[in-house]
Structures are given as C-alpha cells and as structure tokens.
C-alpha cells in the first residue's frame, strides 16, 4: 500500500512526464487533462454556464425534450451505463424518465474522478430512492473493460461531446473498444457538437468575460504550483482558432514575447519565441455525415439522431 506522500509523487510523476514530453516537442503541446485540477474543474463548471458556451445547455435541452423518445428507441428493461459520468448532472433527465417506465433502474457511472462519483452517488441517492447506483472509478480502458461484465440490456451513454476531444482515428479506436463490450440489443447514446459558423464557435471558446482564458492559463499556474515553474501568466495569450479543413476548434497558449521559463522539478529550461504557441486541445465539430461515418467505421449503425432548433448539437443512438 502506497502512502499518501508516495501517491503524491506518483501523481506528480505523471504530470512531470507529460510536461517534459509535451514541452520538448515541436510544435510544443500540453495534454488537455492537465486543465482539470481542482481550480480548473471549477473554472470549467463556470464555462458551462457562460452565455457563449452553448454546448452544455443545448445538449441538456435535447435530453429534456426527447428523453421519452430516446428511451423508447433504446428498448425495454434498460440498465444505464455512463462513460465519463462526472457528477452525472445531465443524466438525471434520462434517469427520471426511465423510472417512470420501469420500477427498478440500475446505473453504472464510470469516471476517473472518485470525488465526482461520490458526489453523483450522494445526489442521485437523495433524488431517486428507487435507483441503484454502482459507481466504477476507472479510466476509459478500465471502465470499458468493466462494461462487459454488466448483464441485461445496456444503454451506454457517452454524452457531453468528449468524443470531440479525440483525433478521428483515436475516436474510432475508443468506440470500437466500447462496441466490443456490447451485445446485440444494447445501444450507444453519443453526444457530439455539430460543425457551425465560426461566429458561434469562436466566442464559445473565447468568452467576453475571459473565463476560458483563465481556464487555459490555469494549466501554467498549475505547473508553477506543482513543478515550481516560473511561468509568468501575463506573458501568455489564450488563442482559439477554427480549423475549417479539419473541422475542429484548436486551443493554444501563445507567448506574447520572446522569453525564458525554468521548470526546477524537470531541470528544464524553456526558450519561447514571440508568438510561439503551446497546443492545448482540439475540439472536433462533426457534420451529420461525419457522425454516420465515425459510427460505421467503429462497427455501429446509426439508428436515430436528435438535435435542437438551430442544429447546433446532436445526440445519436447507435447499435452494434
Ligand atoms: N472539451 C470541452 C470542449 O471541447 C472543454 C472546453 C471548453 C475547453 N472550453 C475549452 C478546453 C477551452 C480547452 C480550452 O468543449
């Protein structure tokens, strides 16, 4: 059994390794999971409530409006599973609807964050006494493995548009992996953001209040806290670009002047040019055609899609 001090080192090691690798690469990059420490997770919660960030509220609206249809289409006697459940705040809508159709509902939320799962169990337990919650703390690979041992007809939820943060080949690999744990009759419910005008997309990733800029710059603040780095946050600009050819938003931190940064924990000297960018995240925006193709290449068949009035966001039901 590792002590908490040892665990801290292991956690820091993962950060150190990722930072060393990403910041030595050309072009430089940092993995997007670094965004979500306690402060970053809190800032992301704030992002989901910004007027410009339409994604969360649009998907919630679709689920509210079509929960009945979605469950009808998925089939009778469902067991719910959710990948990357977090605190499962949007899942409540489906759970509430499902409890009106069947007296007992089993829910397996899967997430890497044990604290988010605890929160989900507490909230859901209070809200739905007839719901049985079996949390699984695991990453996607471990979580997907646990999926195959669940009996009964499954509806596997992968909502929130996290699929958009994977490059297409990785997204296909992940969906294929999920598919292998599903049996005929099971269904996948996939949430994905649609491609749309950059007039809508750009502000969603670069809001007027600057919350998103604080969110990305927090990655550097985190490296200052955890690796004793001396990043000066004022020397970095948050940059959000629409890449039409690849149908994705690209997020960077851009150094505004030529300057040096030292990371003691890695014994690493970093020389950044004026205008040099560190890549943080891609967020793919799917056309309906791309969704069908993604699912087909992953071994699924798209059965039905639901969207909002503006066709900004899509929720898709697929079968093996
Ligand atoms: N993965 C989310 C998305 O693509 C998270 C996100 C929102 C995000 N705004 C961001 C990630 C800005 C990095 C930078 O919508």
């Amino acid at each position: 059994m590792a002590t908490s001090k040892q665990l801290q080192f292991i956690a820091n090691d993962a950060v150190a390794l990722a930072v060393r690798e990403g910041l030595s690469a050309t072009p430089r990059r940092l993995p997007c999971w670094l965004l979500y420490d306690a402060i970053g997770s809190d800032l992301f919660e704030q992002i989901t409530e910004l007027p410009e960030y339409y994604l969360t509220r649009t998907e919630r609206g679709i689920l509210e409006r079509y929960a009945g249809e979605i469950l009808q289409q998925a089939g009778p006697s469902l067991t719910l599973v959710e990948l990357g459940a977090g605190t499962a705040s949007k899942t409540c809508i489906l759970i509430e609807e499902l409890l009106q159709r069947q007296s007992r509902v089993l829910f397996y939320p899967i997430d890497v964050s044990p604290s988010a799962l605890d929160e989900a169990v507490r909230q859901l337990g209070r809200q739905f006494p007839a719901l049985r919650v079996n949390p699984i703390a695991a990453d996607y690979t471990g979580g997907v493995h646990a999926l195959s041992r669940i009996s009964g007809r499954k509806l596997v939820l992968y909502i929130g548009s996290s699929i958009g943060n994977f490059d297409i080949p990785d997204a296909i690999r992940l969906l294929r992996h999920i598919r292998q744990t599903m049996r005929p009759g099971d269904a996948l419910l996939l949430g994905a953001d649609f491609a749309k005008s950059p007039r809508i997309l750009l502000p969603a990733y670069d809001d007027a209040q600057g919350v998103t800029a604080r969110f990305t710059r927090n990655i550097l603040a985190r490296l200052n806290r955890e690796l004793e780095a001396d990043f000066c946050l004022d020397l970095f600009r948050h940059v959000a670009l629409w890449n039409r050819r690849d149908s994705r938003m690209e997020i960077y931190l851009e150094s505004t002047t030529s300057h040096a940064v030292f990371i003691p924990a890695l014994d690493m000297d970093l020389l950044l040019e004026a205008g040099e960018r560190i890549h943080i995240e891609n967020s793919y925006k799917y056309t309906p055609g791309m969704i069908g193709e993604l699912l087909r290449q992953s071994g699924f068949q798209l059965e039905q899609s639901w969207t909002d009035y503006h066709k900004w966001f899509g929720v898709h039901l697929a079968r093996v």
Side-chain angles (χ1 to χ4, degrees), residues 59 63 70-71 74 78-85 88 90-95 98 106-110 140 147 154-160 175 178 182 187-191 315-317:
E59 186 179 42
L63 294 176
I70 291 168
L71 295 176
L78 294 170
T79 292
L80 281 184
V81 180
E82 182 170 7
L83 291 170
K90 276 174 293 194
T91 318
C92 294
I93 303 161
L94 291 170
I95 291 172
L98 194 52
L106 257 167
F107 176 43
Y108 294 86
I110 302 174
Y140 284 134
L147 260 178
K154 291 191 291 281
L155 172 59
V156 180
L157 309 173
Y158 191 33
I159 55 178
L175 290 178
I178 294 172
M182 294 170 63
L188 170 73
L189 192 71
L190 181 70
V315 173
H316 312 276
L317 190 99

Side-chain angles (χ1 to χ4, degrees), residues 35-36 44 47 53 55 165 205 212 215-216 238 251 281 283:
L35 290 162
Y36 299 92
F44 182 66
I47 288 177
Y53 197 75
L55 287 85
N165 298 130
Y205 290 87
T212 308
F215 175 60
T216 51
H238 165 79
I251 313 295
E281 180 165 271
S283 190

Side-chain angles (χ1 to χ4, degrees), residues 202-228:
L202 292 171
Y205 290 87
D206 193 4
D207 64 282
Q209 291 170 62
V211 181
T212 308
R214 259 191 285 148
F215 175 60
T216 51
R217 275 197 289 259
N218 174 59
I219 232 180
L220 303 180
R222 176 175 185 177
L223 303 190
N224 288 351
R225 289 190 292 270
E226 293 183 21
L227 304 176
E228 291 155 60

Side-chain angles (χ1 to χ4, degrees), residues 72-180:
Q72 180 72 31
Q73 190 66 27
S77 310
L78 294 170
T79 292
L80 281 184
V81 180
E82 182 170 7
L83 291 170
T87 57
S89 65
K90 276 174 293 194
T91 318
C92 294
I93 303 161
L94 291 170
I95 291 172
E96 190 168 3
E97 183 69 29
L98 194 52
L99 280 168
Q100 293 181 14
R101 291 158 187 259
Q102 49 192 74
S103 50
R104 279 168 27 106
V105 175
L106 257 167
F107 176 43
Y108 294 86
I110 302 174
D111 202 277
V112 279
S113 161
S115 62
L117 285 173
D118 282 348
E119 173 75 15
V121 171
R122 255 182 342 107
Q123 288 279 350
L124 293 170
R126 197 177 320 141
Q127 203 177 345
F128 306 111
L131 180 73
R132 264 190 41 213
V133 187
N134 296 315
I136 301 173
D139 64 7
Y140 284 134
T141 329
V144 168
H145 197 72
L147 260 178
S148 52
R149 293 195 298 272
I150 297 170
S151 60
R153 184 196 294 271
K154 291 191 291 281
L155 172 59
V156 180
L157 309 173
Y158 191 33
I159 55 178
S161 86
S162 305
I163 193 71
N165 298 130
F166 293 91
D167 288 336
I168 310 286
D170 288 335
I172 292 172
R173 219 165 291 141
L174 173 62
L175 290 178
R176 274 195 190 147
H177 197 54
I178 294 172
R179 200 206 94 109
Q180 278 169 10

Side-chain angles (χ1 to χ4, degrees), residues 251-272:
I251 313 295
Y252 302 90
L253 284 166
E254 183 179 292
S255 169
T256 53
T257 63
S258 156
H259 72 289
V261 178
F262 181 51
I263 311 178
L266 304 179
D267 193 26
M268 186 179 192
D269 265 311
L270 209 59
L271 289 170
L272 293 160

